[in-house]
Amino acid sequence: MLLSFIVHTYSLRYWFPATVMLGTAPAYLLSWWVWRLCSTVLPLRLYHKLDDRLYCVYQSMVLFFFENYTGVEIVIYGDIPKKKENVVYLSNHQCTADWIIADMLAIRQGALGHVRYVLKDGLKWLPLYGWYFSQHGGVYVKRSAKFEEQAMKKKLLTQAEAGTPMYLVIFPEGTRYNPELKNVISSSQEFASKEGLALLKHTLTPRMKASHVAIEAMKDHLDAVYDVTVAYEGTLDSAGHRLPAPTMPEFLCKECPRVHIHFERVAMKEVPLEPLFFRRWLHERFEIKDRLLTSFYESDDAQQRSRFPGEGRRSALSIAKTLPSMMVLGGLTVPLLLTESGRSLYVRTWVYGTLLGWLFNSSSKMSIDWLGFGYAAAIAFGGFMGYKRKGSVMSLVAGLVFGALSAYGALKISMDVRDTSISLLSSGVLALVMGMRFKNSGKLLPAGLMAVLSLLMFVRILFRIMM
């Protein structure tokens, strides 16, 4: 009993902040959508200004949990500029908490709303967040041969020309360093050896494409490059071996007592833009990171271990910068959950916001199945009207479920015309169900109409499969 209580108490240290951060997302996105619609007739610069303020509110709430709630101590080596700058932020990458470290530095510079990320392409499918990160100026990239240089360059150039404040976070290693994944480290070192580069022990070999494209595209917009090296205290075992860095859940469970951040500002005039020289420069920056991390984990002087060389200063984040944001977002979310219509809007925001986000992130590279999406909208609308006119909760639930399923099927077809299984299943089941309802009731609306539409959709998909 006692052990069970301890386990549940420990898990609540993670589930409580996770629930708040995820639970407030619909209210935040609804606020952003209202502003986006209102700003369509306003200058783009004005839209970005308030969008950055909204983003700052949400990320401040996130930092309330990752700093004030956890009580983690932040130790900074180097001087962070007091004024805001347009920068590219380059850091080593060990865990999911690394994204939060960028926010921790940005808020201390008053630039939290300007943070934008270069992210792995797969993250664009995150519900709600995947679409919004792109809207906020983030860039999704694929690895190696699939890297789309022109698409990234075009997006960053557009933002630079619009004068968008930029705090672009990039992890050049491309994947996380984990000391337990020996094959990944070995493969990275083999690549470095093949390219004639120095072997790195505590970081992976940096890949230059995304960093070079970003810096080259925005060279006239950027003030500097921030070279950041991060180490998490508590990642050294009793035998002196390096352990994996804490995940976000572990971080929220207060398993990291202290984060050490080495900061160096590199002026733009010191960054070579010619690709060959840039590759050497970037690798040299990671050689410096590797020496810093080697000192952190392997210093012969026990007093110098678990710290970077030089003087570090503790930097506490005032709760006055974070708690108000949590209260604002909580104040927007709670009223939604207290009423039936609010809960309905809340759920729809999660479902339809996610589907629209997937559609947006895919539309530039696919032939959109507009007929399929129209069919999905008709189903959802029919369910809503059934609820509104007759108070039928079953109609509402069925409309939302089959509408979402049909929209997802249309999305899958839009991405790959051969991926018809979801649409075929949903239209077939609905044709059968609504056909039986029409037979029993003899009513054309809604059963007869939905049966006909579903049957036509089913036949259409079968025809596409045969073709």
Side-chain angles (χ1 to χ4, degrees):
M1 175 76 93
L2 179 60
L3 179 61
S4 177
F5 175 75
I6 293 173
V7 169
H8 281 81
T9 301
Y10 180 81
S11 66
L12 281 174
R13 297 167 77 178
Y14 163 64
W15 284 111
F16 168 64
T19 299
V20 174
M21 286 187 284
L22 291 172
T24 54
Y28 172 73
L29 264 297
L30 285 170
S31 302
W32 174 80
W33 280 335
V34 170
W35 167 238
R36 191 69 185 97
L37 289 172
C38 293
S39 66
T40 53
V41 295
L42 299 175
L44 188 60
R45 186 186 294 268
L46 184 59
Y47 159 70
H48 280 303
K49 188 172 183 178
L50 188 54
D51 175 50
D52 286 357
R53 285 300 307 154
L54 288 171
Y55 185 74
C56 181
V57 170
Y58 186 82
Q59 292 301 100
S60 296
M61 188 245 334
V62 171
L63 287 177
F64 168 80
F65 288 109
F66 277 92
E67 279 209 59
N68 303 120
Y69 170 81
T70 62
V72 65
E73 190 175 274
I74 306 300
V75 183
I76 299 176
Y77 303 76
D79 297 319
I80 301 174
K82 293 182 179 179
K83 68 174 184 176
K84 301 176 186 178
E85 296 185 292
N86 293 317
V87 301
V88 168
Y89 168 112
L90 302 177
S91 175
N92 59 314
H93 195 20
Q94 309 159 75
C95 61
T96 50
D98 291 337
W99 300 102
I100 308 301
I101 304 303
D103 290 344
M104 291 177 176
L105 287 181
I107 197 172
R108 285 164 169 80
Q109 200 177 350
L112 185 56
H114 304 165
V115 174
R116 312 174 206 285
Y117 303 108
V118 173
L119 301 150
K120 292 179 183 177
D121 190 66
L123 294 176
K124 69 185 180 184
W125 305 115
L126 285 173
L128 288 187
Y129 294 95
W131 176 48
Y132 177 72
F133 284 145
S134 178
Q135 287 290 300
H136 185 63
V139 182
Y140 291 106
V141 297
K142 295 180 180 178
R143 295 180 183 176
S144 305
K146 294 182 178 180
F147 180 77
E148 297 172 338
E149 179 177 334
Q150 291 305 315
M152 180 179 182
K153 183 179 293 186
K154 180 180 179 181
K155 182 164 189 176
L156 293 176
L157 274 172
T158 300
Q159 294 185 77
E161 290 169 358
T164 305
M166 187 60 63
Y167 196 106
L168 187 66
V169 178
I170 303 177
F171 298 107
E173 291 162 282
T175 192
R176 285 167 275 181
Y177 177 96
N178 185 333
E180 295 180 348
L181 300 179
K182 304 297 183 183
N183 59 326
V184 174
I185 298 172
S186 176
S187 176
S188 176
Q189 292 176 338
E190 287 174 8
F191 174 80
S193 180
K194 180 182 176 181
E195 296 294 321
L197 302 169
L199 301 186
L200 305 175
K201 185 177 181 181
H202 287 286
T203 70
L204 301 178
T205 303
R207 306 304 174 107
M208 64 165 276
K209 286 185 179 179
S211 303
H212 181 258
V213 169
I215 293 173
E216 199 277 331
M218 299 189 294
K219 59 182 181 293
D220 297 326
H221 185 57
L222 297 174
D223 298 304
V225 171
Y226 287 174
D227 185 4
V228 178
T229 306
V230 180
Y232 298 90
E233 198 165 314
T235 52
L236 196 65
D237 66 14
S238 57
H241 299 133
R242 183 177 175 181
L243 300 171
T247 61
M248 280 190 180
E250 290 169 342
F251 200 101
L252 288 170
C253 287
K254 309 183 182 183
E255 293 189 11
C256 179
R258 198 170 288 109
V259 179
H260 296 261
I261 305 172
H262 189 278
F263 177 92
E264 184 176 352
R265 182 186 186 276
V266 182
M268 280 300 295
K269 64 181 180 181
E270 298 176 27
V271 182
L273 297 178
E274 199 281 325
L276 181 60
F277 293 126
F278 181 85
R279 168 174 282 186
R280 291 287 177 181
W281 174 84
L282 182 62
H283 198 82
E284 287 169 4
R285 300 309 306 184
F286 270 76
E287 288 179 51
I288 295 172
K289 294 179 186 297
D290 201 56
R291 289 195 291 271
L292 289 169
L293 291 167
T294 298
S295 174
F296 187 92
Y297 288 108
E298 302 178 19
S299 177
D300 294 330
D301 184 351
Q303 297 297 320
Q304 295 300 314
R305 212 171 296 148
S306 292
R307 57 164 292 133
F308 286 133
E311 183 180 353
R313 59 179 179 82
R314 291 173 174 81
S315 177
L317 179 63
S318 170
I319 196 171
K321 290 186 176 181
T322 58
L323 183 59
S325 295
M326 192 187 76
M327 296 176 68
V328 167
L329 289 169
L332 291 172
T333 301
V334 171
L336 281 177
L337 301 177
L338 291 179
T339 64
E340 186 176 343
S341 58
R343 289 191 292 271
S344 176
L345 178 60
Y346 183 90
V347 172
R348 286 187 205 174
T349 302
W350 267 112
V351 175
Y352 292 111
T354 297
L355 293 174
L356 285 171
W358 290 346
L359 175 62
F360 174 85
N361 284 330
S362 306
S363 60
S364 61
K365 300 175 185 178
M366 67 185 187
S367 177
I368 300 176
D369 182 15
W370 292 112
L371 196 58
F373 282 112
Y375 169 67
I379 296 172
F381 181 75
F384 173 75
M385 291 304 295
Y387 173 77
K388 186 176 180 181
R389 290 181 177 179
K390 299 183 179 180
S392 175
V393 176
M394 185 62 71
S395 293
L396 178 62
V397 171
L400 291 176
V401 170
F402 277 98
L405 192 61
S406 299
Y408 180 64
L411 176 66
K412 300 286 282 184
I413 290 176
S414 299
M415 295 168 62
D416 183 353
V417 293
R418 297 166 297 181
D419 195 352
T420 58
S421 57
I422 301 296
S423 290
L424 189 68
L425 176 65
S426 60
S427 60
V429 170
L430 201 57
L432 181 62
V433 172
M434 299 308 287
M436 292 177 64
R437 284 189 61 185
F438 174 68
K439 182 181 178 181
N440 292 332
S441 67
K443 294 181 179 179
L444 182 61
L445 293 175
L449 179 59
M450 289 309 304
V452 171
L453 288 177
S454 299
L455 182 60
L456 289 173
M457 183 61 64
F458 185 80
V459 172
R460 169 180 174 260
I461 297 168
L462 280 179
F463 182 76
R464 295 186 75 163
I465 293 174
M466 292 170 63
M467 292 296 291

